[in-house]
Amino acid sequence: VFKLIQKEKNQELLQEIPYFEFLDLAVVFYLLLDENHGGQMTALIHNSHMEQWGVTREELNHLAKKNTPVLLPPEVRTMEEVIRDIFTKQLSEFDEDSLKDLFGTDQSSPIIYVLSNKMQINGAGCILYEGFLKRFAEEQKEDIIILPSSVHETLLIRDRGNLKYEELKEMVF
């Protein structure tokens, strides 16, 4: 499978592993050995593995593009759903009205979606799933603004023409 990592902060590691550049990120490959509710057991693929296995970067990429969406299917939830889940797991007494106050009921406010995978680990790579973003935008019947959040998730906002891109840019940098 694949995941995205920051290219600039991982220059030393990238000398030892196969990768492809994607914007200012690197697509790297790993074996997904096991997964459970506690997380994943993985092994990063190094150049030495490719040599031992007799495979190329391109072959790894082809296999990972097929396997990753199947093994780690995308999951899209609204920011409200994500925060509700956090509140209910962290707080013994949860006030639903407080959450409604936080998100309001203004229809002109953008709905923020959180894209990750089913494990919420290294889910930013879901933006590379073939056709996924296009299908999501078509379902929403609007263009989508994609905001990087972390290696684990990406924020998606429906573009209704009322958002200021400079303000959105400041949110993520």
Side-chain angles (χ1 to χ4, degrees):
V1 294
F2 64 76
K3 65 180 176 179
L4 291 172
I5 64 171
Q6 293 180 344
K7 187 171 56 177
E8 187 177 312
K9 292 184 179 181
N10 290 288
Q11 286 300 307
E12 199 171 310
L13 174 64
L14 291 174
Q15 293 175 17
E16 300 174 21
I17 62 173
Y19 73 95
F20 285 93
E21 291 185 15
F22 177 72
L23 304 172
D24 63 343
L25 304 167
V27 179
V28 301
F29 307 98
Y30 64 101
L31 300 173
L32 180 56
L33 303 171
D34 190 25
E35 64 181 351
N36 58 42
H37 297 295
Q40 299 176 334
M41 184 184 332
T42 65
L44 189 63
I45 296 175
H46 286 72
N47 294 331
S48 59
H49 295 124
M50 285 192 339
E51 290 172 25
Q52 289 174 348
W53 300 335
V55 297
T56 65
R57 245 176 17 132
E58 290 74 17
E59 289 171 311
L60 283 176
N61 191 42
H62 174 74
L63 291 170
K65 280 183 172 181
K66 261 177 44 179
N67 291 335
T68 310
V70 172
L71 296 172
L72 300 168
E75 181 177 272
V76 178
R77 300 185 305 157
T78 66
M79 182 66 79
E80 186 174 346
E81 291 170 328
V82 170
I83 291 175
R84 178 178 283 111
D85 285 353
I86 292 169
F87 280 1
T88 56
K89 289 176 186 169
Q90 301 292 327
L91 303 172
S92 57
E93 292 184 27
F94 171 62
D95 180 15
E96 186 73 32
D97 291 333
S98 297
L99 188 63
K100 288 178 184 170
D101 291 343
L102 177 66
F103 284 95
T105 56
D106 181 5
Q107 295 299 320
S108 66
S109 296
I111 296 175
I112 301 174
Y113 296 93
V114 179
L115 168 63
S116 189
N117 57 40
K118 70 174 183 166
M119 293 295 292
Q120 279 90 45
I121 300 172
N122 297 315
C126 292
I127 64 172
L128 299 177
Y129 291 3
E130 191 170 329
F132 178 80
L133 290 174
K134 182 178 186 206
R135 285 189 306 275
F136 181 76
E138 287 171 351
E139 288 170 11
Q140 302 302 311
K141 296 178 176 54
E142 293 181 288
D143 289 338
I144 301 296
I145 298 168
I146 303 164
L147 298 176
S149 178
S150 74
V151 295
H152 302 296
E153 62 194 18
T154 304
L155 303 180
L156 306 176
I157 303 174
R158 296 190 327 211
D159 188 358
R160 296 178 175 164
N162 61 344
L163 299 172
K164 296 182 174 112
Y165 294 154
E166 285 304 313
E167 290 177 9
L168 293 173
K169 185 178 176 181
E170 287 178 21
M171 282 175 42
V172 296
F173 289 105

